[in-house]
Amino acid sequence: MILRQILRFSSLLRSAVSVHVRRNIGLSAIVFNKTKELDPVQKLFLDKIREYNTKSKQAGGPVDAGPEFQKDLNESLARLQRAYGEGDLTKFPEFKFEEPKFEETAK
């Protein structure tokens, strides 16, 4: 009887310790991945993205876009302007929602 209780308790203890160890290993793997150096391909990719970001901020738009790109952009904007009316099509529209007016009625 006592042996059975000891075995049952040890199996419960073993499963609890197992879950705890697995969680700690999982968390330490995440921390380790964040602290270790990036893969060379990932590092090159991120460097190129950052380089493009700085170039686009300096250029004020797309990088290395020639005059044909600007011509196509202007034609597309003119076509959309004709189709959808006036307004600046390069900015997100502003929406104004008014509160509905409710009237109280006597019951």
Side-chain angles (χ1 to χ4, degrees), residues 5 33 35 62 67 69-70 75-76 87 93-94 98 100 102-103:
Q5 288 178 350
N33 283 338
T35 59
F69 173 79
Q70 192 63 33
E75 288 175 0
S76 297
E94 294 180 17
E98 296 180 11
F102 296 109
E103 296 178 12

Side-chain angles (χ1 to χ4, degrees), residues 69-83:
F69 173 79
Q70 192 63 33
K71 180 183 172 192
D72 290 341
L73 178 65
N74 290 338
E75 288 175 0
S76 297
L77 286 176
R79 188 175 56 241
L80 289 171
Q81 194 78 29
R82 284 190 306 269

Side-chain angles (χ1 to χ4, degrees), residues 26-92:
L27 289 176
S28 61
I30 292 171
V31 170
F32 178 71
N33 283 338
K34 287 185 178 183
T35 59
K36 76 175 187 176
E37 193 61 34
L38 290 174
D39 178 350
V41 175
Q42 289 175 336
K43 185 172 181 348
L44 180 65
F45 180 72
L46 288 176
D47 290 343
K48 288 295 181 180
I49 289 175
R50 290 180 183 128
E51 178 185 342
Y52 184 84
N53 188 21
T54 56
K55 283 183 179 180
S56 68
K57 285 182 181 177
Q58 290 173 353
V63 177
D64 298 333
E68 64 275 352
F69 173 79
Q70 192 63 33
K71 180 183 172 192
D72 290 341
L73 178 65
N74 290 338
E75 288 175 0
S76 297
L77 286 176
R79 188 175 56 241
L80 289 171
Q81 194 78 29
R82 284 190 306 269
Y84 295 108
E86 296 181 18
D88 188 8
L89 297 178
T90 59
K91 293 185 180 178
F92 193 78

Side-chain angles (χ1 to χ4, degrees), residues 8 13 21 23 31 42 51-52 65-66 100 104 106:
R8 191 177 321 154
L13 183 64
V21 168
R23 286 182 184 165
V31 170
Q42 289 175 336
E51 178 185 342
Y52 184 84
E104 289 187 27

